[in-house]
Amino acid sequence: MCRGARASGRRRVVRWAPLGLALLALLATVLVATGVGSADLSLGSVSRGVWHGLTGQVSGTDDVIVWRIRIPRVILAGMVGGTLAISGVVYQAVFRNPLAEPYLLGVASGAGFGAALVIAFGAGIPLFMRFGLPIIAFAFGLLTVAAVVLLARQGGRVPVLSLILAGAVLGSIFTAATSFVMLASRERASGILAWLLGSFSLVGWGKVVAILPLFLLAAALITLSGRALNLLQLGDEQAAQLGLPVERIKLLLVTAATLATAAAVSVSGIIGFIGLMVPHAVRLAFGPDHRALIPLSLILGALFMILADLVARTLIAPAEIPIGVITALVGGPFFLYLLRRQRASR
């Protein structure tokens, strides 16, 4: 009995040890990303800037750079990366498709169309651009997913194949509509394209606060659903026999992941491959148990996005590379690897 308890304890330590290491790596990445930029800052300057910001004593150039420019940008990048990563975990588990990702149901295409409309017709109103763009992008993203669900609904059920097909069709329609808006408003096309490729430039605490509630709610709900996602991998019938309310759990988790994804896209633009790449990398390295896979994906998704943003703003400084370009350059080859691996397994 004691031997079994000790073995169980060792397994728990082995399972959660990577989580502690990932948290330390994330903290180190946050400190480095906050200190590196057009004006490099020491660790001491970063620490003082954070402390002065928390105590309301921001003064001096270094404090302003740390607290009002870099920390909100790093935090937002981390939240967006973590959100996309755990949303990818949910989509891959619910649809039991290793190539599923958070934009599967058209949320990104809808949000992109809403943002394109705002940039094309409201660019002359700075206040509207600042506050209206994320709100309208978020609303269009949610409306797109709602339309996808309504179109796919058959009787009282929503078949997975119909849902995916409806998402692909509506996504294509909104992508075409966005292209039309860009052609019709050529002087604004570069601004639309910059938003579509993703960026964390001109970020302040307002955007962080705007998506924080949805991020925390989705992260808590999805993290606590690790056992349910494990059961779903056994198949709907067997999961139901084990007492899991399959349809309700699926609807709840997909809704949480979609809301969080729409919020992330509304403040950062469309940043691809994070939701596909990070869950797979974590699964390959640490196994398929969702109780560990979800928190590790959350942390490593945040870490990867912070590093990608650091590269985007420093590689050709003072100019910035759209962060979607960085993630695509890393994620594209990884996606091809997944396709090759899936074909080999078949």
Side-chain angles (χ1 to χ4, degrees), residues 2 16 27 29 31 36 98 120 139 150 210 213 215 240 260 267-268 270 281 292 304 325:
C2 292
W16 294 112
L27 177 60
T29 303
L31 293 174
V36 174
L150 288 174
F215 168 75
V267 296
S268 67
I270 302 173
F304 179 80
V325 173

Side-chain angles (χ1 to χ4, degrees), residues 180-248:
F180 176 78
V181 171
M182 292 174 67
L183 288 172
S185 180
R186 294 184 181 179
E187 67 278 7
R188 309 293 185 193
S190 60
I192 296 172
L193 182 60
W195 190 91
L196 291 175
L197 291 174
S199 174
F200 295 110
S201 60
L202 303 177
V203 166
W205 284 107
K207 287 187 176 181
V208 174
V209 173
I211 74 163
L212 184 61
L214 277 175
F215 168 75
L216 293 176
L217 179 63
L221 181 61
I222 293 170
T223 301
L224 293 173
S225 302
R227 180 178 175 275
L229 290 174
N230 282 343
L231 292 178
L232 284 177
Q233 304 317 295
L234 302 174
D236 290 357
E237 290 185 8
Q238 193 165 347
Q241 289 172 2
L242 292 171
L244 187 71
V246 173
E247 293 301 323
R248 192 167 67 212

Side-chain angles (χ1 to χ4, degrees), residues 108-293:
S109 301
F113 177 65
L117 290 176
V118 173
I119 296 170
F121 302 110
I125 311 172
L127 198 63
F128 183 62
M129 284 289 293
R130 183 176 179 182
F131 298 105
L133 193 152
I135 293 172
I136 291 176
F138 179 74
F140 267 84
L142 292 187
L143 287 172
T144 302
V145 175
V148 167
V149 173
L150 288 174
L151 288 170
R153 194 175 183 86
Q154 297 177 9
R157 302 181 69 254
V158 182
V160 171
L161 181 59
S162 298
L163 196 66
I164 294 173
L165 289 174
V169 171
L170 271 187
S172 298
I173 291 171
F174 277 117
T175 298
T178 301
S179 300
F180 176 78
V181 171
M182 292 174 67
L183 288 172
S185 180
R186 294 184 181 179
E187 67 278 7
R188 309 293 185 193
S190 60
I192 296 172
L193 182 60
W195 190 91
L196 291 175
L197 291 174
S199 174
F200 295 110
S201 60
L202 303 177
V203 166
W205 284 107
K207 287 187 176 181
V208 174
V209 173
I211 74 163
L212 184 61
L214 277 175
F215 168 75
L216 293 176
L217 179 63
L221 181 61
I222 293 170
T223 301
L224 293 173
S225 302
R227 180 178 175 275
L229 290 174
N230 282 343
L231 292 178
L232 284 177
Q233 304 317 295
L234 302 174
D236 290 357
E237 290 185 8
Q238 193 165 347
Q241 289 172 2
L242 292 171
L244 187 71
V246 173
E247 293 301 323
R248 192 167 67 212
I249 287 293
K250 282 184 175 182
L251 178 63
L252 179 64
L253 290 177
V254 169
T255 300
T258 300
L259 283 170
T261 299
V265 170
S266 71
V267 296
S268 67
I270 302 173
I271 301 173
F273 291 104
I274 298 290
L276 173 69
M277 178 175 59
V278 172
H280 269 292
V282 175
R283 193 179 290 111
L284 289 172
F286 302 106
D289 187 347
H290 286 84
R291 292 171 296 178
L293 176 62

Side-chain angles (χ1 to χ4, degrees), residues 88-98 100 233 275-276 279-280 283:
V89 172
V90 168
Y91 272 77
Q92 289 169 13
V94 168
F95 294 111
R96 290 203 293 276
N97 185 336
Q233 304 317 295
L276 173 69
H280 269 292
R283 193 179 290 111

